[in-house]
């Protein structure tokens, strides 16, 4: 209760700051006739995409207008640190931003997201990228307006620019600040956070260190948000969390993800429910039963495998064996025979032998995934795996990676062939990026189909004939 009041007070405080800045920006606009622009670049996963919608909502409310290029008054990078190459991309782009900022000194540059939760990153930025104006993390996005205000109020006293850099980083939080502005990318579908953080500490993964401990949102807040979205025209929701299957365990009274899904199912107007990501160790029989009986939950489950070797899974701290995983898949397929399964797999985890890798290939052959995200192991400082000796040589990992991708392609092809010459319900999402005569829609299984059609169909669920499978997508036609 105390926490709820604290969160509500904080939300009100932030709304006040947003309004104050809005007035200030409006006055400037009256003088100059020019609105200030913003541009957000989002790296990483769907949690970050969702966070960027919140950031965009706050900026719009203040009076910034979006623009497509980085030549803007406010540029923000929402960063990811799950693998090293994500970090390198940010540093590369920051160099380019510096050139732009020299031409427009009033430009504000902000960095946030998972990379900022690491001390070494922030030290590096302070030292080598001191033209950055604002740094914040994953726990205090709701404070963005306040940080902008602080930066704008910082008097220019000369001296080192880093004196003016506003840095606000929290190690962890128990706060969940609701009801701040929000800017949805699509009018007809929306991501909804249900649980923040991760408690699993898989030995290769930096996420628990940068996103903090698991915090479930109050079920009523989630339901109210989805009802409001439905009222606003949303027909598909994606429930988001690093590990949705442990939703509700720490709430008082405790509840479960399966129970939450059943409540979401009852909401009028919502036609499709998706969720991401499931940890195999927490996927309960209760949830499988709900998947089997639901009319709205999409026929798609993302179930990260990481490795097929029980020996490596133990060292990875995944808390399931190869056999547990295969048994789970069997139970899921029994309940929902036409479900599409997708996965994440890491190749080259420290100590991975050819035998371990063959176990992974074996699971891929047995499960027949509809899609899989494959990653070369990336050493993340601060995780237990970073200190393990026997790191796998890059060329060995690369060779295994290629073999894995080849095997996955086979199962992707096999799976999509089965849908050829069938008619499927499709949510039309957008005009095709490369060919404007085509629309792009999403099947319940999460696969995409491109087909000729008019953009007035965007946001509708319609039947589409799948003429030809091209592996990861289909070419279709309207009935
Ligand atoms: N190296 C490579 N891949 C990783 N992932 C997480 N940490 C690492 C790492 N250190 C992958 C996992 C996870 C996905 C989001 O990213 O497969 O499921
Ligand atoms: Fe990382 Fe494991 Fe948590 Fe996923 S479940 S975010 S892989 S620690």
């Amino acid at each position: 209760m105390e926490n709820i009041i604290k969160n509500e007070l904080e939300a009100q405080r932030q709304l006040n700051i947003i309004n104050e800045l809005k007035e200030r920006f409006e006055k400037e606009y009256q003088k100059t006739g020019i609105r200030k622009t913003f541009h957000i670049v989002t790296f990483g996963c769907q949690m970050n995409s969702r966070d960027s919608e919140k950031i965009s909502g706050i900026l719009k409310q203040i009076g910034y207008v979006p623009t497509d290029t980085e030549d803007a008054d406010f540029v923000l990078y929402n960063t990811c640190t799950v693998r090293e190459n994500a970090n390198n991309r940010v540093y590369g782009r920051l160099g380019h931003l510096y050139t732009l900022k020299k031409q427009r000194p009033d430009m504000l540059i902000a960095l946030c997201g998972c990379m900022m939760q690491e001390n070494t990153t922030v030290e590096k930025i302070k030292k080598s990228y001191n033209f950055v104006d604002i740094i914040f993390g994953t726990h205090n996005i709701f404070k963005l307006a306040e940080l902008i205000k602080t930066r704008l109020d910082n008097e220019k006293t000369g001296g080192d620019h880093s004196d003016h850099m506003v840095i606000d980083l929290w190690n962890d939080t128990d706060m969940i600040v609701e009801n701040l502005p929000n800017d949805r990318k699509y009018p007809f579908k929306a991501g909804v956070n249900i649980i923040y953080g991760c408690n699993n500490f898989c030995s290769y993964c930096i996420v628990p260190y940068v996103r903090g401990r698991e915090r479930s949102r109050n079920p009523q807040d989630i339901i109210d948000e989805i009802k409001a979205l439905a009222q606003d025209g949303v027909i598909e929701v994606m429930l988001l969390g690093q590990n949705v299957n442990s939703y509700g365990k720490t709430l008082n009274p405790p509840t479960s993800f399966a129970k939450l899904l059943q409540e979401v199912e009852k909401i009028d107007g919502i036609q499709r429910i998706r969720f991401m990501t499931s940890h195999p160790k927490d996927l309960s029989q209760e949830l499988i039963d709900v998947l089997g009986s639901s009319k709205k939950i999409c026929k798609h489950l993302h179930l990260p495998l990481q490795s097929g070797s029980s020996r490596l899974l133990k060292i990875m701290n995944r808390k399931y064996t190869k056999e547990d995983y295969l048994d789970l898949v069997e139970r899921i397929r029994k309940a929902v025979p036409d479900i599409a399964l997708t996965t994440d797999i890491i190749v080259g985890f420290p100590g991975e032998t050819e035998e371990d890798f063959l176990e992974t290939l074996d699971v891929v052959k047995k499960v027949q995934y509809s899609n899989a995200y494959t990653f070369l192991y990336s050493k993340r400082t601060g995780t237990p795996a970073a200190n393990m000796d026997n790191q796998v040589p890059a060329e060995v990992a690369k060779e295994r990676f290629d073999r894995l991708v080849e095997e996955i392609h086979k199962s992707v092809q096999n799976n999509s062939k089965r849908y050829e010459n069938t008619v499927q319900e499709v949510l039309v999402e957008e005009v095709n990026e490369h060919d404007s005569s085509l629309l792009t829609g999403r099947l319940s299984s999460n696969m995409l189909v491109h087909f000729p059609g008019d953009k007035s169909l965007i946001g509708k669920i319609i039947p589409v004939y799948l003429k030809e499978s091209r592996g990861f997508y289909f070419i279709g036609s309207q009935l």
Side-chain angles (χ1 to χ4, degrees), residues 78-138:
N78 189 1
T79 63
C80 167
T81 188
V82 77
R83 287 170 294 275
E84 181 71 32
N85 53 3
N87 292 41
N88 293 338
R89 278 169 57 207
V90 170
Y91 291 125
R93 291 184 74 142
L94 268 180
H96 169 67
L97 265 194
Y98 184 46
T99 320
L100 276 176
K101 179 148 178 156
K102 277 193 284 194
Q103 287 153 17
R104 46 188 311 161
D106 287 340
M107 173 181 190
L108 290 184
I109 298 176
L111 300 176
C112 69
C114 296
M115 225 176 120
M116 300 306 126
Q117 293 290 143
E118 293 181 284
N119 292 341
T120 45
T121 307
V122 178
E123 286 314 311
K124 182 165 172 174
I125 289 167
K126 281 205 282 198
K127 199 160 148 258
S128 310
Y129 301 85
N130 72 359
F131 54 89
V132 170
D133 295 282
I134 298 172
I135 298 180
F136 58 105
T138 53

Side-chain angles (χ1 to χ4, degrees), residues 200-243:
N200 292 320
F201 291 94
C202 300
S203 62
Y204 49 82
C205 187
I206 194 84
V207 169
Y209 305 89
V210 294
R211 289 236 169 221
R213 295 294 62 72
E214 278 178 14
R215 301 167 305 281
S216 293
R217 277 179 77 194
N218 183 334
Q220 199 53 50
D221 287 336
I222 297 170
I223 298 301
D224 289 348
E225 179 177 336
I226 299 176
K227 280 185 179 161
L229 288 168
Q231 292 273 320
D232 203 24
V234 166
I235 58 174
E236 177 180 303
V237 283
M238 163 88 89
L239 308 179
L240 292 172
Q242 230 65 249
N243 178 9

Side-chain angles (χ1 to χ4, degrees), residues 298-344:
C298 288
K299 307 281 185 218
H300 168 223
L301 184 68
H302 186 67
L303 197 61
L305 169 69
Q306 312 300 2
S307 167
S309 151
S310 297
R311 187 187 78 83
L312 274 195
L313 285 168
K314 192 162 176 45
I315 306 172
M316 287 177 162
N317 196 28
R318 292 289 291 177
K319 301 199 167 67
Y320 54 85
T321 62
K322 175 185 180 186
E323 290 68 32
D324 294 335
Y325 187 96
L326 289 173
D327 171 64
L328 182 61
V329 166
E330 200 177 307
R331 284 186 290 129
I332 294 165
R333 286 229 161 102
K334 205 160 149 204
V336 197
D338 50 349
I339 199 161
L341 294 174
T342 59
T343 199
D344 293 342

